[in-house]
Amino acid sequence: MTAPPTAAPPGTRAARRRDRRVYTRSHPVLFALLAATRGRPVTRLGRAVLVQDGVPYREALTRVPLDRTAAGTTGGAARELSDGGTLFDQTGAEHRGARRAVAADLGAAGVAQLRPVWRKLLEQELAPLGAGGAVDLVEVARVLSGATVCALLGSTADPRDLAAAATVAAAAAVRDHLPGPRFPHRTRAAAEAAARLESLLDPGGHRSDAALRSVLAVAAVTTTVAALPRAAAWCADARLWDQAADDRLRPALVTELLRVTAPSPLLPRVAAADARLGGRPVRAGDRLLLVARHAVRAHSAPPDAHHPVEPAVAQLVFGAGPHACPGARLARTQLDDVLAALAPHRPTVVRARVDRRAALPGWRSLTVRSGAHDGRGEQS
């Protein structure tokens, strides 16, 4: 049973203020719209339906038939990266088969095999903190995610090159998820970025699963680069390093930080049939904007391992039902190891810049320095 809430940990206000910048400086109009309507579980705006409460959010993913290939959806963006067959744009037996294959690679045994890859990199990349130096955690997340994807997919590409290509491909392909005009040059840019990524993953161009591999690379890199630095900033600003250092509390803290950062804060979908959400009618063809950030109460309940939200709510950041993210275990394990490696240094943020072009809200750079010795840090 979840413990009753207590006063927010010290520094929560500063942590929330900093984290809010990744939204207000990258998509200010959209963030203002979502903030203005978040008190309503379901809101219709023309043919768009905003879903911001946990119950209708889960229903939208488990009970409403969805058009998996519609423009402006995750599946549609995946098709811009490839010729289809990418898990995100599949249905029925095809989807179940692809999902089983991915789940096998990202299950307990698969993650255990990958873990030494990023642990070795963490030791190398965070070493400057022990010598009083500064570290850009966005760069750490890039090399960590790139190396993990290379190991997962058996690629010999340079991890940083692969991470950069995946980031560019994601930004080119999914900008149309959000309301606003589309421009013809974006289609060309998306195709070029996708080709660059595929050439790194499959230099000979012979693999039949090239599309799935490209989209898995994009998903793994973008969510990691978005989530890990934001989670570390929360720990620094809200003074959560004691929880991060505690082996018993850290798993709960990991879940809480993934909930609050909600790496994919907005899931765009399209209804394939008439339905009802939150008592409101949904028509076939309606665009559903599923606001994960609000459904998991990231805007109102700060992360606290001592008083976490209900597990069923926190899990929604990874979706629900047959289309839940198969990479949840990988994400949790990586963040757990990152926090364990950072906690002895008690890092403080000395500089932070928002990435205004990334596919997911995040930092372009987040520079930290050890605060373990003097307890001070210049907060940007």
Side-chain angles (χ1 to χ4, degrees):
M1 182 174 179
T2 304
T6 60
T12 295
R13 188 171 298 177
R16 190 180 297 285
R17 184 166 57 247
R18 185 195 299 280
D19 195 61
R20 191 181 292 122
R21 285 167 51 196
V22 301
Y23 299 101
T24 59
R25 297 196 179 184
S26 59
H27 301 294
V29 176
L30 177 65
F31 183 79
L33 171 65
L34 298 181
T37 58
R38 69 187 177 202
R40 288 171 269 175
V42 179
T43 305
R44 175 175 287 280
L45 299 173
R47 291 303 303 272
V49 179
L50 275 65
V51 182
Q52 308 201 62
D53 181 76
V55 174
Y57 179 96
R58 184 180 288 105
E59 290 177 349
L61 292 173
T62 58
R63 298 176 59 182
V64 177
L66 300 174
D67 184 343
R68 301 276 288 167
T69 61
T73 66
T74 304
R79 291 214 163 189
E80 288 190 31
L81 283 166
S82 64
D83 295 324
T86 64
L87 183 66
F88 298 98
D89 63 349
Q90 295 170 325
T91 58
E94 184 183 31
H95 176 266
R96 289 192 295 272
R99 184 178 177 82
R100 280 195 297 270
V102 173
D105 290 335
L106 296 178
V111 171
Q113 286 186 327
L114 294 170
R115 203 170 190 180
V117 173
W118 68 71
R119 281 185 161 180
K120 181 179 179 180
L121 284 171
L122 280 174
E123 184 178 352
Q124 297 171 355
E125 297 293 323
L126 299 182
L129 293 177
V135 170
D136 181 358
L137 292 183
V138 174
E139 282 301 314
V140 173
R142 286 195 185 109
V143 68
L144 185 152
S145 62
T148 301
V149 168
C150 285
L152 174 66
L153 301 180
S155 171
T156 58
D158 179 272
R160 284 186 168 86
D161 288 347
L162 190 145
T167 300
V168 171
V174 306
R175 292 292 293 183
D176 65 339
H177 279 188
L178 304 175
R182 295 190 66 190
F183 302 99
H185 70 275
R186 286 183 177 170
T187 300
R188 183 174 64 254
E192 292 171 353
R196 166 64 175 160
L197 178 58
E198 286 199 16
S199 70
L200 287 173
L201 290 171
D202 181 20
H206 303 308
R207 296 189 64 104
S208 60
D209 60 349
L212 176 59
R213 288 162 60 85
S214 291
V215 174
L216 287 176
V218 164
V221 169
T222 55
T223 53
T224 301
V225 172
L228 295 189
R230 288 177 60 196
W234 260 101
C235 285
D237 293 337
R239 307 173 194 174
L240 299 175
W241 290 125
D242 285 342
Q243 295 185 19
D246 190 323
D247 292 343
R248 297 167 300 175
L249 288 175
R250 192 168 56 250
L253 179 63
V254 164
T255 298
E256 281 288 277
L257 288 169
L258 288 172
R259 175 184 64 83
V260 170
T261 57
S264 297
L266 180 68
L267 303 183
R269 301 290 188 265
V270 171
D274 293 351
R276 295 187 70 83
L277 283 176
R280 293 179 174 270
V282 172
R283 301 189 296 273
D286 279 349
R287 190 176 189 188
L288 308 180
L289 300 179
L290 312 181
V291 189
R293 182 175 188 270
H294 294 162
V296 300
R297 305 202 293 270
H299 63 294
S300 59
D304 187 352
H306 293 289
H307 307 286
V309 304
E310 306 90 312
V313 172
Q315 175 62 28
L316 291 177
V317 294
F318 295 107
H323 302 298
C325 175
R329 183 189 297 273
L330 176 64
R332 292 191 180 103
T333 306
Q334 282 191 330
L335 181 53
D336 191 289
D337 285 344
V338 169
L339 296 182
L342 287 172
H345 302 288
R346 301 295 198 272
T348 56
V349 180
V350 296
R351 185 168 56 255
R353 290 193 299 163
V354 172
D355 192 338
R356 291 180 169 85
R357 301 181 64 183
L360 301 176
W363 299 106
R364 183 177 179 185
S365 65
L366 186 89
T367 305
V368 300
R369 193 182 299 275
S370 176
H373 302 298
D374 59 18
R376 297 191 303 272
E378 177 190 353
Q379 300 293 305
S380 66

